[in-house]
Amino acid sequence: MVGIGYRKDFAEAFLQSSTLQPAFIEVAPENWMGVGGFWNKKFREALEKYPLFTHGLSLSIGSPDELDFAFLKKLKQFLASTGALVYSEHLSYAKCDNAHLYDLLPIPFTSDAVAHVSERIKTVQDLLERKMAIEIVSYYSPVAPELSEIDFINAILEAADCDLLLDVNNVYVNSFNHRYDAKAFIDQLPMERVRYIHMAGHEQVSDTLIIDTHGEAIIDPVYNLFDYTMRRLGRDVPVLLERDFNIPELEELQEEINRLNTIKTAALKQPTYVTA
């Protein structure tokens, strides 16, 4: 199944036509909790037609600040009231000294951070009474690293016993910007923890830098890495097409969804690798 990030930009057109046919929709809970009136009505109409996946923005799992338990209580109510099938968040931080930074910033790759973040993930999972999927984020400069990126991610997944949201575009962006082999990176991830995959476009701004924008169509090298990932995975998982800016006509979004479905179906028929 391939879904789409549900955006107000195309909500009405999406509900009134059959051009765009995702298997599910995804929203950021923060953008819809407490929303009333016209947009709540449109959101509820969408929920009558599509299963809901959620992808948070402001949990700030890597922050030194105390977890926002009032927010988590509202989040739990939102997930229950909407029947959300998945809750995911970014392996990053977005808040410091109780100030929201409005960005998803990288956590230092250190043993102390592994212990700090994994304990917070376990606390969130206990409060929500469900597992969460943690997303590998794009980053542009490592912060005081003691561990490699792959060792840092795997240590948190193991210690927190959480699921993985594998953003294939983010792996591609990081591998380009930090000069490593994206396929070798994916080979080292625990495939059994992959609960969900994200796919998106990006913007290459120079010969040495890609910015993760979600504002362009997916490029062929990222599709190829997706094909590799699905063959390495050897089982079906939900896949999301993300598009946050420069949103094209619905026909173009559906073409991307169709291509993702085609690649996934072919890969699962002839997987190169089988997960143990």
Side-chain angles (χ1 to χ4, degrees), residues 7 12 27 50 57 87 94 100 103 117 120 130 142 146 151 175 187 193 201 273 275:
R7 303 285 178 260
E12 284 198 86
V27 301
Y50 301 100
L57 295 170
Y87 173 60
H100 282 276
D103 207 344
V117 173
R120 287 162 67 89
R130 64 163 73 196
E146 296 173 354
D151 287 345
S175 71
D187 284 345
R193 290 192 183 275
Y273 301 90
T275 304

Side-chain angles (χ1 to χ4, degrees), residues 33 51 64-65 68 82 106 114 119 151 161 164 202 248:
M33 290 192 298
D65 293 6
D68 186 340
T82 58
V114 169
E119 283 303 311
D151 287 345
D161 190 22
L164 172 64
H202 57 249

Side-chain angles (χ1 to χ4, degrees), residues 231-251:
R231 292 176 191 277
R232 178 71 179 80
L233 190 61
R235 61 183 169 85
D236 202 359
V237 297
V239 177
L240 180 86
L241 171 62
E242 292 183 294
R243 189 67 179 259
D244 296 335
F245 304 99
N246 299 326
I247 295 174
E249 297 296 325
L250 299 188
E251 289 83 356

